[in-house]
């Protein structure tokens, strides 16, 4: 099962939009047309799509042709298979809208996968515009375009260059993007614009956004529903940034005993915000329980009680004395403004129960007046004990963001808690090794019977062994018990397997050996050497890597124009190393590498993350010349003068005698077995 290789697409996002059954069907249609006509053009698509069941009853051939004409000016333009798939997706979104899709886009509380419908919530748009105008007003580059008028499409036009998204990400999670890597000229060429969007999307994934339904072309075209969906996720992350025990340890006041602290740590930020709100409402004498950010807040009473409890000096009982919900909502907003909460929603938004805007409003109140003062020393010490060390926290963060980037149905808030029932791990395994999971033997949460969790986890271990993971003396119950060392070792092997699979799939037509860690190391060294550079790495734990010079030379070797050497330091001091490491991560994401490490992982030479970084750059480099090649075409040169055949040979004939000291596998084995 683990050796299954289906129809492969070099663009991971595009691959994720289709099942293998759909890909095989569409591939056969594409190949059949190319065989008959010698090539596939835009003009060939209407009759092909018309015959597909999804479109046959919804569109005529002329309607399909008109839809295609919006994206393609020349109907005789030849298209490759990926463009064929993109055209299909575009028509599919129209089909959903035409067939009675959702009339509103509620993307704040949902994953981006829900934003396929095209209707725009104007109140939300106005709120996000106000947020942008407020937080980016002092930015030297963005200030020339602000303030944005929410009544126009200026927001979507501004988003087309990609700078806006990058700036918002850095507001939400400071330091995510090295702004030296953003192309900020007044007029960008297509290459520079695409680089900005690639950097933005990969960075959005790296802070926890779900972007499986969004590609760079969507942002270049400024598609409103997708732009708003992504911006809303970034703003949500910013507003909920303090909703955790590390940032706000006073949150332990919300629970009664040590056992509840453990539950508190695993809560999603929006659930924690509800718990905080109900904590204060109960103390204020409000008898109802607020379970959502929509219907439970429509009458405004909960807000009136909350503000009266948190800030009686600006609130008072006046809002409680009125019987009109709209009037009460207006009074609540006026009171909140006295606490410096920006007015990003209207009384109408409260009365109509807008979940996204209510969430934002409650989060703002929390930021300005959380009302948590007393700290129980016993609960605080237990909370500190529950907090992981820096390296464990970084690894948990990396694996959590990676899992969420895969587009599985379950969103992971805390790896160590959320994977213990086995279901998330089964979803991930099915994603990275299609067909490996026997879903008939799996139990979907909520799971009340403990032995069902063990059954799920036993299947996880079984599949892991089939994939040749090192799982000596490891059983499903170890996952159920939440053994952190074991979980990190398992997830590391899972991420590494996925990366090696991607590399193997790029060269599936070759009869060469499997890609190994040693191959990646030698490929990187050879690439740098052939570019005329002198840096080399002895292993993925080579302490010399902390300067960042090797990876900057590697990035420059795979794409000469991507590194601005005037920005690179010698990497001798701690500050210089930090500057280089931050720049490396942004440049790699700008190229198209989907990576989740932090600058500290490079500075401290975390060998696991160093391997993934090198493998990601290798994957980008090897897949690049394969794009847009038809079977009839001869091997064509890449940016550094190599042909596709050269690249395959480069991987197939890598020597492995230089890496006898490589210890990644051994380390993983030790971690797993010692658990």
């Amino acid at each position: 099962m683990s050796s299954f290789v289906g129809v492969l697409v070099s663009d991971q996002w595009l691959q994720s939009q289709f099942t293998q059954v759909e890909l095989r069907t569409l591939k056969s249609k594409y190949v059949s047309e190319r065989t008959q006509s010698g090539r596939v053009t835009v003009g060939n698509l209407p009759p092909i799509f018309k015959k597909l069941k999804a479109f046959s009853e919804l569109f005529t051939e002329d309607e399909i042709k008109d839809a295609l004409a919006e994206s393609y000016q020349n109907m005789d333009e030849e298209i490759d298979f990926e463009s064929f798939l993109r055209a299909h997706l575009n028509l599919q979104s129209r089909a959903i809208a035409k067939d009675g899709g959702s009339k509103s886009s509620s993307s704040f509380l949902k994953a981006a996968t829900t934003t396929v419908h095209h209707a725009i919530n104007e109140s939300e748009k106005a709120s996000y515009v106000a947020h942008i105008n407020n937080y980016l007003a002092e930015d030297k580059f963005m200030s020339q375009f602000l303030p944005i008028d929410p009544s126009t499409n200026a927001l979507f036009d501004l988003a087309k260059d990609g700078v806006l998204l990058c700036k918002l990400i850095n507001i939400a999670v400071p330091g995510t993007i090295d702004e030296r890597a953003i192309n900020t000229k007044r007029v960008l060429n297509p290459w520079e614009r695409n680089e900005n969007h690639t950097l933005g999307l990969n960075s959005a994934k790296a802070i926890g956004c779900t972007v499986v339904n969004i590609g760079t072309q969507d942002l270049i075209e400024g598609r409103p529903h997708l732009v708003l969906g992504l911006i809303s996720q970034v703003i949500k992350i910013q507003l909920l940034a303090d909703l955790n025990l590390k940032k706000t340890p006073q949150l332990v006041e919300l629970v009664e005993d040590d056992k509840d602290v453990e539950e508190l740590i695993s809560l999603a930020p929006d659930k924690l915000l509800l718990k905080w709100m109900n904590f204060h409402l109960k103390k204020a004498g409000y008898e109802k329980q607020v379970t959502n950010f929509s219907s439970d807040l429509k009458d405004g009473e909960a807000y009136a009680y909350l503000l009266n409890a948190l800030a009686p000096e600006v609130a008072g009982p006046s809002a409680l004395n009125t019987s009109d919900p709209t009037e009460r909502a207006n009074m609540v907003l006026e009171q909140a403004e006295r606490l410096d909460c920006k007015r990003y929603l209207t009384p109408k938004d409260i009365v109509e129960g807008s979940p996204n805007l209510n969430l934002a409003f409650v989060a703002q109140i929390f930021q300005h007046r959380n009302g948590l003062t007393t700290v129980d020393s016993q609960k605080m010490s237990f909370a500190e004990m529950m907090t992981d060390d820096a390296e464990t926290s970084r690894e948990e963060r990396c694996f959590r963001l990676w899992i969420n980037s895969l587009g599985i149905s379950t969103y992971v808030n805390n790896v160590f808690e959320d994977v213990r029932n086995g279901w998330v791990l089964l979803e991930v395994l099915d994603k990275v090794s299609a067909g490996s999971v026997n879903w008939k033997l799996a139990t979907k949460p909520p799971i009340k019977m403990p032995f069902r969790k063990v059954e799920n986890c036993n299947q996880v271990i079984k599949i892991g062994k089939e994939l040749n993971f090192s799982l000596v003396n490891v059983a499903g119950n170890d996952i159920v018990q939440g053994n952190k060392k074991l979980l990190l070792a398992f997830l590391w092997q899972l991420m590494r397997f996925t990366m090696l699979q991607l590399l193997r799939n790029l060269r599936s037509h070759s009869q060469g050996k499997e890609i190994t860690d040693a191959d990646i190391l030698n490929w990187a060294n050879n690439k740098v050497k052939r570019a005329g550079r002198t840096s080399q790495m002895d292993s993925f734990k080579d302490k010399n890597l902390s300067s960042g010079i090797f990876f900057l030379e590697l990035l420059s070797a795979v794409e000469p124009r991507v590194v601005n050497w005037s920005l690179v330091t010698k990497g001798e001091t701690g500050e210089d190393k930090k500057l280089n490491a931050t720049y490396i991560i942004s440049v790699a994401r700008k190229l198209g590498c989907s990576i989740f490490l932090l600058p500290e992982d490079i500075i401290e030479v975390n060998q696991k993350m160093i391997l993934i970084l090198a493998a990601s750059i290798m994957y980008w480099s090897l897949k690049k010349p394969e794009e847009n090649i038809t079977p009839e075409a001869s091997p064509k040169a890449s940016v550094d003068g190599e042909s596709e055949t050269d690249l395959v040979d480069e991987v197939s004939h890598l020597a492995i005698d230089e890496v006898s000291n490589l210890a990644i596998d051994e380390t993983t084995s030790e971690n797993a077995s010692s658990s």
Side-chain angles (χ1 to χ4, degrees):
M1 289 184 288
S2 60
S3 62
F4 170 80
V5 178
V7 177
L8 298 166
V9 181
S10 61
D11 185 326
Q12 289 176 266
W13 169 81
L14 195 57
Q15 175 101 32
S16 71
Q17 305 308 298
F18 300 92
T19 65
Q20 275 298 318
V21 174
E22 291 169 333
L23 281 173
R24 284 196 294 270
T25 300
L26 293 172
K27 184 76 172 182
S28 68
K29 300 284 186 187
Y30 179 84
V31 172
S32 175
E33 182 63 32
R34 192 179 60 200
T35 302
Q36 291 177 23
S37 308
R39 63 188 192 127
V40 180
T41 67
V42 179
N44 297 142
L45 301 187
I48 297 175
F49 287 165
K50 173 62 179 167
K51 292 176 183 177
L52 296 175
K53 186 177 180 181
F55 306 140
S56 60
E57 296 180 2
L58 290 172
F59 300 110
T60 64
E61 278 192 32
D62 287 340
E63 287 175 327
I64 295 174
K65 184 177 180 180
D66 290 341
L68 292 169
E70 292 182 15
S71 301
Y72 297 92
Q73 294 181 341
N74 181 9
M75 298 303 285
D76 198 43
E77 179 181 338
E78 185 174 354
I79 62 170
D80 59 12
F81 181 55
E82 288 198 10
S83 298
F84 179 84
L85 293 177
R86 290 183 185 280
H88 182 279
L89 278 181
N90 185 39
L91 194 60
Q92 189 176 59
S93 65
R94 291 170 182 266
I96 292 171
K98 188 172 182 178
D99 198 31
S102 171
K103 293 184 179 180
S104 65
S105 174
S106 183
S107 51
F108 218 170
L109 298 175
K110 302 177 182 178
T113 49
T114 64
T115 60
V116 295
H117 309 303
H118 290 258
I120 296 299
N121 184 312
E122 291 297 333
S123 289
E124 289 186 19
K125 174 187 168 186
S127 173
Y128 306 151
V129 165
H131 185 95
I132 291 167
N133 287 338
N134 180 40
Y135 280 93
L136 290 175
E138 303 301 319
D139 185 276
K140 288 183 179 179
F141 180 79
M142 296 303 300
S143 59
Q144 61 186 312
F145 306 106
L146 303 179
I148 302 169
D149 184 350
S151 66
T152 69
N153 285 326
L155 171 63
F156 310 119
D157 292 334
L158 185 57
K160 289 180 180 179
D161 276 347
V163 180
L164 174 63
L165 177 61
C166 292
K167 295 283 187 177
L168 279 176
I169 288 170
N170 266 0
I171 292 290
V173 184
T176 299
I177 296 175
D178 188 330
E179 298 210 357
R180 297 174 298 173
I182 305 173
N183 300 315
T184 54
K185 293 190 307 186
R186 184 68 189 240
V187 179
L188 301 178
N189 63 41
W191 178 280
E192 293 166 330
R193 186 179 297 116
N194 189 69
E195 279 186 337
N196 280 349
H197 287 305
T198 303
L199 173 60
L201 283 175
N202 281 318
S203 300
K205 281 197 286 187
I207 66 170
C209 295
T210 305
V211 301
V212 291
N213 269 352
I214 308 174
T216 56
Q217 190 59 34
D218 297 315
L219 301 180
I220 289 170
E221 294 174 5
R223 295 188 180 180
H225 62 295
L226 294 176
V227 170
L228 278 187
L230 190 51
I231 287 176
S232 70
Q233 289 188 77
V234 175
I235 292 175
K236 177 185 175 184
I237 288 169
Q238 176 188 340
L239 293 175
L240 299 181
D242 293 338
L243 265 297
N244 60 72
L245 284 178
K246 286 184 179 179
K247 292 282 187 69
T248 313
Q250 294 86 353
L251 284 166
V252 294
E253 191 180 344
L254 303 184
V255 296
E256 295 181 0
D257 54 42
D258 290 351
K259 184 180 178 182
D260 292 332
V261 173
E262 192 172 349
E263 180 188 343
L264 198 68
I265 290 174
S266 65
L267 276 181
D270 50 339
K271 300 294 183 187
L272 194 50
L273 191 61
L274 280 175
K275 190 174 185 71
W276 167 80
M277 189 176 188
N278 282 310
F279 171 79
H280 284 299
L281 288 175
K282 184 178 180 181
K283 287 172 63 176
Y286 187 67
E287 297 179 356
K288 301 175 186 176
Q289 183 88 354
V290 177
T291 60
N292 57 62
F293 291 103
S294 181
S295 57
D296 288 357
L297 300 175
K298 284 184 175 182
D299 59 13
E301 283 189 8
Y303 280 137
Y305 272 94
L306 180 65
L307 287 171
N308 194 32
L310 293 174
E313 76 279 8
V314 300
S318 56
L320 291 171
N321 295 332
T322 181
S323 59
D324 179 41
T326 302
E327 185 181 345
R328 182 185 297 121
N330 189 53
M331 294 175 72
V332 161
L333 291 176
E334 288 176 353
Q335 293 167 359
E337 275 191 283
R338 296 187 201 124
L339 284 178
D340 289 332
C341 294
K342 297 291 182 182
R343 185 178 283 214
Y344 290 156
L345 76 170
T346 65
K348 182 182 177 184
D349 296 323
I350 294 178
V351 173
E352 292 184 351
S354 171
N356 296 353
L357 299 183
N358 275 315
L359 170 69
F361 183 50
V362 178
Q364 270 211 323
I365 296 173
F366 176 86
Q367 286 179 347
H368 288 87
R369 185 74 64 91
N370 64 40
L372 303 173
T373 52
T374 58
V375 177
D376 186 308
S377 58
Q378 183 178 346
K379 284 190 288 187
M380 276 296 292
S381 62
F382 184 77
E384 289 171 1
M385 185 178 71
M386 293 287 295
T387 304
D388 301 310
D389 61 76
E391 186 173 348
T392 299
S393 295
R394 287 207 308 269
E395 291 196 10
E396 185 277 335
R397 170 195 170 279
C398 173
F399 294 133
R400 167 167 41 88
L401 296 171
W402 171 66
I403 290 171
N404 288 332
S405 77
L406 297 174
I408 64 172
S409 59
T410 306
Y411 192 86
V412 176
N413 291 292
N414 183 296
V415 164
F416 298 133
E417 294 299 321
D418 294 352
V419 304
R420 288 173 58 179
N421 59 28
W423 183 261
V424 168
L425 293 176
L426 289 174
E427 285 187 285
V428 174
L429 284 164
D430 192 55
K431 198 79 173 178
V432 303
S433 181
S436 61
V437 177
N438 184 345
W439 291 109
K440 292 181 180 178
L441 301 179
T443 304
K444 185 175 183 178
I447 303 173
K448 295 181 179 179
M449 300 180 181
F451 76 92
R452 295 294 187 193
K453 298 178 183 179
V454 176
E455 285 179 345
N456 282 353
C457 293
N458 282 340
Q459 185 176 181
V460 167
I461 298 299
K462 175 176 176 290
I463 297 170
K465 290 179 178 177
E466 290 172 358
L467 299 178
N468 295 319
F469 291 3
S470 178
L471 295 167
V472 182
N473 298 325
V474 176
N477 197 50
D478 294 314
I479 296 176
V480 176
Q481 295 299 319
N483 185 317
K484 291 184 178 180
K485 192 174 182 181
L486 164 67
L487 287 172
L488 290 176
F490 184 86
L491 287 167
W492 156 240
Q493 293 183 84
L494 193 52
M495 177 185 269
R496 176 177 169 274
F497 167 81
T498 306
M499 198 70 246
L500 296 182
Q501 278 285 93
L502 287 171
L503 288 167
R504 189 196 73 170
N505 290 343
L506 282 179
R507 50 189 289 277
S508 56
H509 55 284
S510 168
Q511 296 304 309
K513 61 182 178 59
E514 292 290 314
I515 296 287
T516 66
D517 299 351
D519 293 334
I520 297 168
L521 186 142
N522 278 333
W523 173 86
N525 279 332
N526 290 340
K527 200 75 178 172
V528 171
K529 187 176 181 180
R530 287 168 65 174
R533 302 284 182 173
T534 57
S535 297
Q536 295 284 279
M537 64 172 163
D538 294 331
S539 71
F540 293 115
K541 53 182 180 180
D542 184 342
K543 292 301 179 184
N544 290 323
L545 295 173
S546 67
S547 71
I549 300 299
F550 177 82
F551 279 107
L552 287 165
E553 292 188 345
L554 177 59
L555 287 163
S556 182
V558 300
E559 176 49 75
R561 64 176 293 281
V562 79
V563 175
N564 182 348
W565 285 101
S566 68
L567 302 176
V568 177
T569 74
K570 292 181 179 179
E572 294 175 349
T573 67
E575 182 60 30
D576 284 353
K577 289 179 179 180
K578 180 73 177 286
L579 286 169
N580 283 353
T582 305
Y583 189 52
I584 287 166
I585 292 170
S586 290
V587 169
R589 287 177 180 152
K590 186 175 177 178
L591 273 184
C593 299
S594 182
I595 49 177
F596 302 94
L597 77 169
L598 292 170
E600 289 77 8
D601 293 314
I602 297 175
I603 297 168
E604 297 171 14
V605 193
N606 180 326
Q607 59 180 2
K608 298 176 184 177
M609 299 306 146
I610 292 291
L611 169 59
I612 293 299
L613 174 60
S616 298
I617 297 171
M618 181 179 179
Y619 174 69
W620 181 86
S621 178
L622 293 186
K623 80 170 182 175
K624 190 182 179 192
E626 292 186 337
E627 295 175 356
N628 302 322
I629 294 180
T630 61
E632 296 82 4
S634 59
K636 67 179 185 179
S638 69
V639 289
D640 49 4
E642 297 169 329
S643 69
E644 179 192 8
T645 306
D646 292 335
L647 285 164
V648 173
D649 290 343
E650 184 182 344
V651 178
S652 299
H653 299 112
L654 287 168
I656 59 172
D657 56 354
E658 299 174 17
V659 284
S660 57
N661 59 345
L662 189 67
I664 293 287
D665 288 331
E666 290 80 358
T667 302
T668 303
S669 177
E670 290 169 10
N671 285 345
S673 59
S674 63
S675 299

